[in-house]
Amino acid sequence: MCGRFVASSSAEAISKFFGASFEGEGIPANFNVAPTQDVLAVTADANGARTVQTFHWGLVPSWAKDVKIGSKMINARSETIAEKPAFKGLFKKHRLLIPMDGFYEWQQGADGGPLNKSGKPIKTPMFIHRSDGELLAVAGLWATWRDRTTGPDAPWLHSCTIITTAANQAMTPVHDRMPVILPADRWDAWLDPTNGGLATLQSLLIPAANDLLAMHAVGTEVNNARNTGPQLIEPAGR
């Protein structure tokens, strides 16, 4: 799964990178984005015009009775996305790209190594990012929801989920899953809301090239979501 990531780029930088428009207020840099927090993401209309918008991380389907369901829907597996009731309709029309400066994954500790308070090997947090320093364009889905119990004028909540796939060779030593990272030549096909070809869309949801990513161990300060500063991505021990 993908449960924490880095979103340190400004809305202006994201807009420029994706050739998108942006109106509204940005989101402060966060080096430890956690589920249920707001993130910036890129959508497109039928004419291909891209827009940067704010979304709640944790998908809340339109039929949900409570926003709390979003905390359980931060990821969607690529292998079953076209089948799950919560995702299959969105897969056809509500797709987006979530910009990340990198993401975290926790590598299982080795047998014989240090143990935590429960007597299990201590996991090492790893910061994973593009080797060239560019933004990651991660595939996701979005939905709209509002609490109809509060009246017909209840505000709309825009929410999203991150699509994951099997780990590539570079990621396998750390975890068996990774976010779907799309190269620029696939952005149009993914974002186009009129592109309903499920087979074509499914073919985009593959592991990234093995040489795309670099990674290094970071300190355990990242384990606490209240820590959000740039020191979190510094190599451990520095």
Side-chain angles (χ1 to χ4, degrees):
M1 66 179 294
C2 179
R4 298 280 182 84
F5 67 90
V6 176
S8 59
S9 295
S10 67
E12 291 75 18
I14 291 171
S15 298
K16 182 177 180 181
F17 185 78
F18 287 95
S21 63
F22 175 76
E23 294 182 3
E25 298 182 5
I27 296 176
N30 187 345
F31 290 79
N32 198 9
V33 180
T36 74
Q37 295 180 345
D38 285 347
V39 300
L40 295 175
V42 182
T43 60
D45 62 20
N47 296 317
R50 299 173 187 166
T51 304
V52 178
Q53 302 178 57
T54 301
F55 291 83
H56 171 93
W57 181 22
L59 192 80
V60 183
S62 60
W63 43 259
K65 295 182 179 180
D66 194 303
V67 70
K68 293 179 181 179
I69 193 174
S71 63
K72 300 178 181 180
M73 302 182 73
I74 63 171
N75 291 165
R77 293 175 68 91
S78 61
E79 297 88 346
T80 57
I81 199 171
E83 305 167 5
K84 296 288 186 179
F87 303 136
K88 62 182 182 180
L90 304 177
F91 185 38
K92 293 181 179 179
K93 296 182 178 180
H94 284 192
R95 301 179 299 273
L96 48 59
L97 291 171
I98 301 172
M100 298 182 186
D101 296 277
F103 60 96
Y104 299 104
E105 199 53 79
W106 279 256
Q107 186 172 26
Q108 183 64 49
D111 292 338
L115 303 178
N116 61 22
K117 294 180 180 179
S118 300
K120 297 180 180 180
I122 294 176
K123 293 183 178 181
T124 300
M126 306 291 292
F127 174 56
I128 302 153
H129 56 95
R130 275 184 59 149
S131 55
D132 60 7
E134 295 283 2
L135 277 170
L136 297 170
V138 173
L141 305 176
W142 64 275
T144 56
W145 175 88
R146 62 178 177 176
D147 186 356
R148 299 181 186 278
T149 63
T150 63
D153 297 326
W156 288 99
L157 175 73
H158 290 71
S159 63
C160 66
T161 188
I162 292 168
I163 300 175
T164 66
T165 187
N168 62 14
Q169 186 176 356
M171 274 290 300
T172 298
V174 178
H175 202 274
D176 61 357
R177 305 289 296 176
M178 69 184 299
V180 172
I181 302 166
L182 296 181
D185 61 0
R186 297 178 183 174
W187 295 350
D188 284 338
W190 178 252
L191 292 175
D192 182 359
T194 67
N195 179 13
L198 297 185
T200 300
L201 293 168
Q202 194 77 53
S203 71
L204 302 177
L205 306 180
I206 59 176
N210 288 318
D211 60 355
L212 180 72
L213 302 174
M215 66 181 74
H216 60 261
V218 296
T220 55
E221 188 180 357
V222 74
N223 294 350
N224 189 334
R226 289 178 298 213
N227 299 323
T228 61
Q231 77 280 2
L232 298 178
I233 64 172
E234 292 293 328
R238 177 174 292 185

